[in-house]
Amino acid sequence: MSIEGRVAIVTGSARNIGRACAIELAKRGAKVVINARSSAKVDQVVDEIKAAGGTAVPSYRSLENLAGCQGLVDDTVKAYGTVDILVNNAGITSHHYIHEMPDEDWTRVLDVNITGYFRMTKLVLPHMMEKKWGRIVNMSSHAGLTGTTIRSGYAAAKGAIISFTKATAKEYGKYGITANAIAPFVGMDERVDNPEHFGAMYTEQPAEFAAQNTAISIAGMAIPGRSGPETVAPMVAFFASQEAWYITGQIISVGGGRWMG
C-alpha cells in the first residue's frame, strides 16, 4: 500500500490501538507523529519506530482544548512541513449509569472523543485541500454502533463520529480527501481493563458490566475470541493509502463479525 513519505498524525498513539496504527504506518514508510500526554510512553514508541528504521517525532499535547489540537498540528508542520494523513484515535471514557453521570464527566468525554476529532480535522483540512490529497481515519467503536452499558457518553460520542465521518467525506471529496471510520470491538482495547487509563474519571465497574464484557468477548461473533490492536492497524493503513482513493464515508467494523448491520 502506497503511503511512502506521507506525513501522518496518530492521536492517542502511545498505547493500544493508536500505537499499533502508528507503528504500522511507519513500517509502510509514513513519517509519523506520536501523540499522547505521557512523555515517557510517547518517547518509547518513537524509539521503537526509529529502531526499526522508521521516522517518528513526539508530541505531548492534550487534545481536550483547541490550543492542544493546534499545538499538535504545529508540531507536525514544524517537523515535516505538512499533514497528509490524520488518524483520530485519542479517547477517554467514564463508567456511570446515566442517572448518576456527573455533567463534567459527560462534557469531558464528548470534548475529547468528538470535539477533539472535529478540531483536529478542521485544522488539518487546509493542508490537505491545498495539495488536493488527504486521508482522515476516525476511530469509532462497536459502542457507537450498538450502544453500551455504563458508558453512555462514550457511546454517544462514538456514534457521533460515524455521522461526522460521513459529513466530512461528502464535504471534502472534491478535494481528493477521503474520510472513513473504523469501529473496533471494545474487547480489543486495553482501556476497558486498565483503570489507570481513566485517571480521576474512572470509577469501579459494576459487577454486571464486568461480567457482560467478559461474556460478549466470546459470544455472538462469527470468529470467536478476543483480538488485539494489530487487527485494526492494517485497515487504517489501507484507508490511508492511495489504493483506497475511491473509498470514502465508510464505517468498517473490526470485531470478528459481532456486528453485521
Side-chain angles (χ1 to χ4, degrees), residues 136 162 165-170 178-181 239 247-251:
I136 298 168
I162 291 172
T165 299
K166 293 179 179 181
T168 305
K170 288 186 175 183
T178 67
N180 293 287
F239 278 148
I247 301 172
T248 193
Q250 301 305 301
I251 317 302

Side-chain angles (χ1 to χ4, degrees), residues 112-140:
V112 174
N113 291 20
I114 183 60
T115 304
Y117 282 35
F118 156 72
R119 288 168 175 158
M120 287 301 304
T121 301
K122 176 181 178 180
L123 291 168
V124 302
L125 279 169
H127 297 277
M128 297 177 177
M129 292 166 67
E130 182 179 3
K131 68 186 74 172
K132 296 193 181 302
W133 197 99
R135 299 288 183 267
I136 298 168
V137 185
N138 294 324
M139 206 60 65
S140 182

Side-chain angles (χ1 to χ4, degrees), residues 47-166:
D47 291 344
E48 184 177 351
I49 289 172
K50 288 182 175 179
T55 303
V57 295
S59 179
Y60 313 115
R61 309 286 185 168
S62 169
L63 305 185
E64 294 184 37
N65 53 58
L66 179 59
C69 295
Q70 182 67 67
L72 174 52
V73 175
D74 290 346
D75 291 343
T76 305
V77 174
K78 181 178 179 181
Y80 299 129
T82 190
V83 183
D84 298 305
I85 300 162
L86 170 65
V87 181
N88 275 317
N89 170 75
I92 60 173
T93 190
S94 180
H95 290 85
H96 296 282
Y97 288 107
I98 293 172
H99 72 283
E100 297 173 339
M101 174 79 72
D103 277 10
E104 57 269 25
D105 279 24
W106 173 271
T107 299
R108 189 177 174 215
V109 168
L110 267 63
D111 278 349
V112 174
N113 291 20
I114 183 60
T115 304
Y117 282 35
F118 156 72
R119 288 168 175 158
M120 287 301 304
T121 301
K122 176 181 178 180
L123 291 168
V124 302
L125 279 169
H127 297 277
M128 297 177 177
M129 292 166 67
E130 182 179 3
K131 68 186 74 172
K132 296 193 181 302
W133 197 99
R135 299 288 183 267
I136 298 168
V137 185
N138 294 324
M139 206 60 65
S140 182
S141 167
H142 272 234
L145 297 171
T146 65
T148 190
T149 307
I150 320 296
R151 295 184 300 149
S152 57
Y154 182 81
K158 292 301 186 179
I161 286 166
I162 291 172
S163 296
F164 178 67
T165 299
K166 293 179 179 181

